[in-house]
Amino acid sequence: YGGSYEQIKATGFARTIIEGLDLLNVYSGPWFLTTVGLFFLNLTLCTYKRMKWMIRIRRPAELTATALSCRKDVLEMELPYSPEETAKRVEAFLRGRLFLKKPSSTRGEGIYSGGVYEQGFIHHMWLSLAYHVSVILAVIGAVITFLYSFEKEITIFPDKPVEVAAVSADTRWNKWYGKGEDFIVSEDEKFQVGLKEFAIKYAQKPSIEGFPRRGFIPRLKDTWGRGGLTVVAEEDKYYPIEYASKLIIYESGAPAQETWIKVNTPLRYRGFTFYQSAYEYKFDLYADDKKIEEEEGGKYTLPGIDGKFESGGVTTGKLYLKDGSEYVIEPFVKLAYTPPEPEQEADKPSGSQGMPEVFKLIGSKAGDIKGLKVRIENVRAGTILSYRHDPGVPLLWIAAPVLFFAMLFRAWGRWCRASYVVEKRPEGSRLLAHLQMFGVWGGERSLVERLEDSMRKGS
């Protein structure tokens, strides 16, 4: 519906639902904002819980035989070695696999020793905390964008810089809580953008000679029959391959920065991002040395000629040919002439005229159009820039990489924690060991089996 409630054809209860939930503005509707609020609350509580857990696990672990034996998949072995020998074997096994010892203590009767070892890039709980915090930052950045961002479009010609304000009455915050019509922008929150030069590059528009316009089978037959395709580029058929603007930024009337901006190379300045959006040309049209004023919709009426002339736009710039050479295009304009519509006949529908007649005017040379000497002068280029001010973007630049790498390491990284205690036995010792792994490269069972094999060797 184009975001306009006036175009909605629904009535009654359906219209009430559409307007009540503001379904034409999904991302600013009350139901969506409520969902985001609940999501943010859930993330905050979840992150708080993980922070408490991280504070707790930073304390030295206290190991007991009872607590360790209650864990799932614990390795329990009666060994003929002395408790000292058993502890040395376990530690040698873990150190040989690059496990690092962490602070710990033991409690309980009969325990000779115990320890906690960890292996990995970073504790998985830190990674989990990191991507929870990053999502919170992303939501905060989105809310800032929602309230304070704005975007506009400006057209600049070389003769007159355009003023840009760093604040706008059009933001949602200013619309809801601002001063409305009394909104005033101070001078230090303004700067100007001027155009020093506009450059455009063209290539000849390629086409396939004699190729069927549509249909897979006809095209396949044509290609097969001729044994290949012939690509041609017709003269006077150009398409732009690059356009760029050389801009000058003015602060308090003095030049502050000069830079080129292209379609895929935006300009960032004072929290704004300027994009090369389009371009526009203006020119003066003369017929028999009399200036013709442009009418509404870019149309012209030449004296003594019924009907309207419409400009197809100015073509100028550099043309790059297939052989790699280039030359500067002399500015030219194509004027399409549409004669007045004849009175409708009984057997002809309205608007049944043929194609408009096209006249080409090159540079300042006068061309003949239905007996008039017509020329163009003072061709000037203007650039059209769209710009956006979005204070929430910096938070997203922080949050997105943190989220990506934290989830990457959480999923693909390997983190392992090994806890063990050794108890004294009259005939030797008793080992209780528990291994916990996270990540794709985990696999506690295989490591437990290798530890068990290592402890049984020589027994």
Side-chain angles (χ1 to χ4, degrees):
Y1 294 109
S4 172
Y5 286 102
E6 297 177 357
Q7 300 181 38
I8 296 179
K9 298 179 181 179
T11 57
F13 181 72
R15 187 180 183 91
T16 302
I17 293 295
I18 293 172
E19 293 182 347
L21 297 180
D22 199 11
L23 294 182
L24 296 191
N25 301 286
V26 174
Y27 298 111
S28 61
W31 64 273
F32 182 82
L33 297 179
T34 302
T35 305
V36 171
L38 292 174
F39 177 60
F40 182 80
L41 178 62
N42 177 67
L43 276 174
T44 304
L45 295 176
C46 220
T47 304
Y48 173 72
K49 180 180 178 181
R50 278 165 173 74
M51 289 186 66
K52 288 180 61 178
W53 176 256
M54 291 305 301
I55 293 173
R56 189 169 62 193
I57 67 172
R58 285 181 61 85
R59 301 169 185 167
E62 187 178 68
L63 302 174
T64 65
T66 303
L68 206 58
S69 62
C70 293
R71 294 190 179 183
K72 184 180 179 182
D73 297 330
V74 66
L75 173 63
E76 183 176 352
M77 300 180 68
E78 297 287 343
L79 298 168
Y81 314 123
S82 66
E84 182 180 5
E85 178 67 18
T86 300
K88 286 183 178 180
R89 282 174 172 256
V90 174
E91 291 182 0
F93 176 85
L94 296 175
R95 290 185 187 278
R97 286 160 176 79
L98 303 180
F99 279 77
L100 299 177
K101 190 171 185 178
K102 299 295 181 180
S104 62
S105 62
T106 57
R107 179 170 58 86
E109 295 183 2
I111 295 181
Y112 171 77
S113 67
V116 175
Y117 283 77
E118 290 182 358
Q119 177 204 72
F121 174 73
I122 189 171
H123 196 290
H124 69 99
M125 287 298 293
W126 283 115
L127 294 172
S128 178
L129 179 65
Y131 60 71
H132 275 76
V133 171
S134 66
V135 175
I136 288 177
L137 291 178
V139 174
I140 294 174
V143 171
I144 293 174
T145 294
F146 176 77
L147 293 175
Y148 298 105
S149 67
F150 62 92
E151 56 186 16
K152 294 184 180 180
E153 187 176 89
I154 53 176
T155 302
I156 313 173
F157 283 88
D159 55 344
K160 187 177 181 181
V162 175
E163 190 173 74
V164 176
V167 293
S168 173
D170 296 331
T171 63
R172 285 187 174 87
W173 180 265
N174 287 328
K175 285 180 179 179
W176 295 343
Y177 304 107
K179 299 179 181 179
E181 297 179 356
D182 299 329
F183 187 85
I184 299 175
V185 181
S186 61
E187 290 300 321
D188 61 340
E189 293 178 320
K190 299 177 183 178
F191 60 94
Q192 291 182 317
V193 182
L195 176 65
K196 186 174 183 180
E197 182 183 349
F198 179 79
I200 185 168
K201 298 177 181 179
Y202 291 92
Q204 288 179 301
K205 188 173 182 179
S207 60
I208 301 174
E209 188 175 27
F211 197 60
R213 294 182 60 85
R214 58 176 59 87
F216 176 75
I217 299 299
R219 290 180 174 182
L220 183 62
K221 289 181 177 180
D222 183 86
T223 305
W224 185 268
R226 69 168 72 185
L229 302 176
T230 303
V231 179
V232 296
E234 296 181 28
E235 186 181 0
D236 202 19
K237 281 193 175 181
Y238 311 140
Y239 70 96
I241 57 175
E242 179 185 284
Y243 44 95
S245 305
K246 192 172 187 179
L247 304 178
I248 305 177
I249 307 296
Y250 297 92
E251 292 282 2
S252 302
Q257 182 176 338
E258 187 173 308
T259 184
W260 281 96
I261 178 175
K262 300 180 181 180
V263 172
N264 294 319
T265 309
L267 166 66
R268 292 181 173 87
Y269 184 79
R270 286 183 58 173
F272 285 83
T273 303
F274 291 86
Y275 301 93
Q276 178 69 69
S277 177
Y279 57 91
E280 180 181 343
Y281 279 99
K282 290 183 179 180
F283 59 90
D284 295 330
L285 184 67
Y286 290 85
D288 288 343
D289 296 326
K290 179 182 178 182
K291 186 176 179 180
I292 307 300
E293 298 297 331
E294 183 180 1
E295 301 176 1
E296 186 178 354
K299 296 185 178 182
Y300 300 88
T301 300
L302 299 186
I305 301 177
D306 294 333
K308 299 290 183 180
F309 290 84
E310 186 173 0
S311 169
V314 176
T315 301
T316 185
K318 287 186 178 181
L319 175 64
Y320 290 81
L321 302 177
K322 292 190 296 182
D323 60 5
S325 60
E326 62 177 73
Y327 73 91
V328 177
I329 303 172
E330 188 176 5
F332 67 84
V333 176
K334 290 184 178 179
L335 294 179
Y337 170 65
T338 303
E341 188 172 350
E343 295 184 4
Q344 185 175 353
E345 300 178 8
D347 57 343
K348 288 187 178 181
S350 177
S352 60
Q353 306 102 306
M355 296 292 292
E357 190 176 358
V358 178
F359 300 89
K360 183 177 179 180
L361 302 174
I362 303 175
S364 58
K365 302 173 184 176
D368 183 78
I369 298 181
K370 298 187 177 296
L372 293 177
K373 295 298 182 181
V374 183
R375 71 180 191 277
I376 57 171
E377 289 186 0
N378 194 22
V379 176
R380 50 205 182 275
T383 185
I384 301 176
L385 306 179
S386 61
Y387 66 90
R388 179 176 177 85
H389 180 65
D390 192 343
V393 167
L395 277 179
L396 297 180
W397 274 108
I398 297 172
V402 172
L403 175 63
F404 176 79
F405 286 108
M407 297 192 73
L408 179 70
F409 289 130
R410 178 66 175 83
W412 289 93
R414 168 171 161 155
W415 183 87
C416 180
R417 182 185 179 97
S419 307
Y420 79 93
V421 295
V422 178
E423 293 182 308
K424 299 177 183 178
R425 285 288 190 266
E427 61 281 355
S429 59
R430 177 185 180 223
L431 171 66
L432 291 170
H434 178 261
L435 283 86
Q436 186 180 20
M437 286 190 176
F438 295 89
V440 173
W441 303 111
E444 301 94 334
R445 177 47 48 192
S446 62
L447 192 59
V448 169
E449 291 174 355
R450 288 197 295 270
L451 174 61
E452 186 175 6
D453 292 341
S454 175
M455 298 304 296
R456 292 191 185 282
K457 286 181 180 179
S459 63

